[in-house]
Amino acid sequence: MKKNIAIILLFLPMLIFNTVLTAEQALADGEFDVYGTIESFTWKEFDDSGGEFLEESGPIFGAGITAKGLIQPLTIKGRAELFSGSVDYDGQTQAGMSVTSDTEYLGGKVEADLGWLIVIDETFALEPFAGIGYRWWERNIQSTGTAIGYIENWWSSYVRLGLRSESEISTQSTLFAEVGTKIAIKNENEVDLTEIGLPLITVEPANATAFFAEIGLRGEPFIISLFYEGLRFKKSDMVIVSAGPAILGFTQPESEADIFGLNAGFAF
């Protein structure tokens, strides 16, 4: 059910923004971009003493769309992305035995921002903005000859605060940049351990702050940019599960991801 909700949430805001952008009587200007993306993705988990005991790394590929409209001086911007890929897994079992495998990722995100355009001169403008975001992803750890894999489904909602800038470098091209912070609202991780006879387990990693940044060039008809996005999660509270006569406790350890990537596509 949550997967269906995530898909609906992913595309519904973009339909709204597209409708807004086509309302010429309300918008003085508008932008619409379609792009592909390649990411260098790293995921890490830490024990209670801060020591790293798991790392995943590798490429993630995706595609996205952004739409931006202007009702002077208010700006409205939306972004939706889908991504997928396989990365290397280097971790350990609950017993502490080292394990190497692969982890399959599949997910998406949607973000919506409101900004305030401050025109400095004819070629340069600043735009402080605030918005919300929602990210869902499936983390599918593959089984090996010595360890049984499992699937995690993550959901994270957050607030975005930041600053954008645009600098016109010619009549047909603009240099743009943004930097900001993400403040988590709610995080959930649903762990599927049914293959070993346990029920679905939902833990709620505690909120943490992460950062994002992007710099790029938008022309006619191309757009290209470099970006960074961080994900940060503090350790969750323990969830108690009955497994026959045994009582087990589960937590999501402190976790983080660093994503460096390239977007390239078409600007309209």
Side-chain angles (χ1 to χ4, degrees), residues 1 14 25 41 53 78 104 120 124 127 231 234:
M1 179 66 179
M14 297 312 300
Q25 70 277 17
F41 178 87
F53 67 86
E104 305 288 340
I120 306 300
F124 184 71
E127 181 191 336
L231 306 175
K234 296 180 181 178

Side-chain angles (χ1 to χ4, degrees), residues 7-265:
I7 293 172
I8 292 171
L9 289 174
L10 185 63
F11 288 104
L12 181 58
M14 297 312 300
L15 293 176
I16 296 173
F17 280 113
N18 193 43
T19 301
V20 173
L21 288 171
T22 55
E24 295 183 1
Q25 70 277 17
L27 294 172
D29 193 14
E31 299 174 355
F32 185 80
D33 303 326
V34 180
Y35 56 90
T37 182
I38 180 171
E39 304 173 352
S40 174
F41 178 87
T42 303
W43 175 270
K44 297 179 181 181
E45 295 183 358
F46 304 88
D47 59 28
D48 290 342
S49 64
E52 179 187 320
F53 67 86
L54 181 152
E55 179 173 328
E56 298 172 346
S57 60
I60 299 288
F61 303 91
I65 54 177
T66 63
K68 183 177 180 180
L70 172 65
I71 309 175
Q72 189 75 25
L74 183 68
T75 63
I76 309 170
K77 184 174 183 179
R79 179 192 298 266
E81 293 182 355
L82 296 172
F83 54 84
S84 177
S86 178
V87 302
D88 296 329
Y89 174 97
D90 186 2
Q92 59 187 39
T93 65
Q94 294 292 327
M97 181 178 64
S98 297
V99 175
T100 57
S101 182
D102 296 310
T103 301
E104 305 288 340
Y105 276 86
L106 174 66
K109 71 175 182 180
V110 60
E111 296 173 342
D113 300 328
L114 290 176
W116 193 269
L117 189 65
I118 304 172
V119 178
I120 306 300
D121 59 35
E122 293 182 353
T123 63
F124 184 71
L126 292 175
E127 181 191 336
F129 66 88
I132 57 174
Y134 180 88
R135 185 183 183 102
W136 162 80
W137 67 100
E138 180 183 270
R139 181 170 173 251
N140 186 350
I141 303 172
Q142 303 298 293
S143 297
T144 69
T146 57
I148 299 175
Y150 58 94
I151 296 175
E152 295 180 350
N153 275 286
W154 285 73
W155 297 270
S156 179
S157 56
Y158 49 90
V159 171
R160 286 164 42 92
L161 300 173
L163 178 68
R164 296 190 184 99
S165 67
E166 291 189 354
S167 179
E168 186 179 302
I169 58 178
S170 75
T171 57
Q172 295 185 333
S173 59
T174 301
L175 182 68
F176 64 89
E178 73 172 34
V179 63
T181 183
K182 300 189 303 183
I183 304 169
I185 301 172
K186 184 176 178 62
N187 308 306
E188 290 188 10
N189 176 17
E190 182 184 78
V191 185
D192 186 351
L193 298 175
T194 54
E195 285 196 19
I196 59 175
L198 295 175
L200 293 174
I201 300 165
T202 300
V203 292
E204 297 186 6
N207 297 333
T209 299
F211 298 94
F212 61 89
E214 184 176 11
I215 184 169
L217 183 66
R218 190 175 196 276
E220 294 183 3
F222 302 111
I223 184 170
I224 187 168
S225 67
L226 298 172
F227 68 89
Y228 166 79
E229 181 178 5
L231 306 175
R232 298 292 186 269
F233 306 98
K234 296 180 181 178
K235 183 179 178 180
S236 72
D237 292 335
M238 182 173 290
V239 174
I240 304 300
V241 176
S242 298
I247 303 297
L248 304 176
F250 291 87
T251 62
Q252 174 63 36
E254 179 184 348
S255 308
E256 67 179 40
D258 291 302
I259 307 167
F260 295 88
L262 170 70
N263 292 332

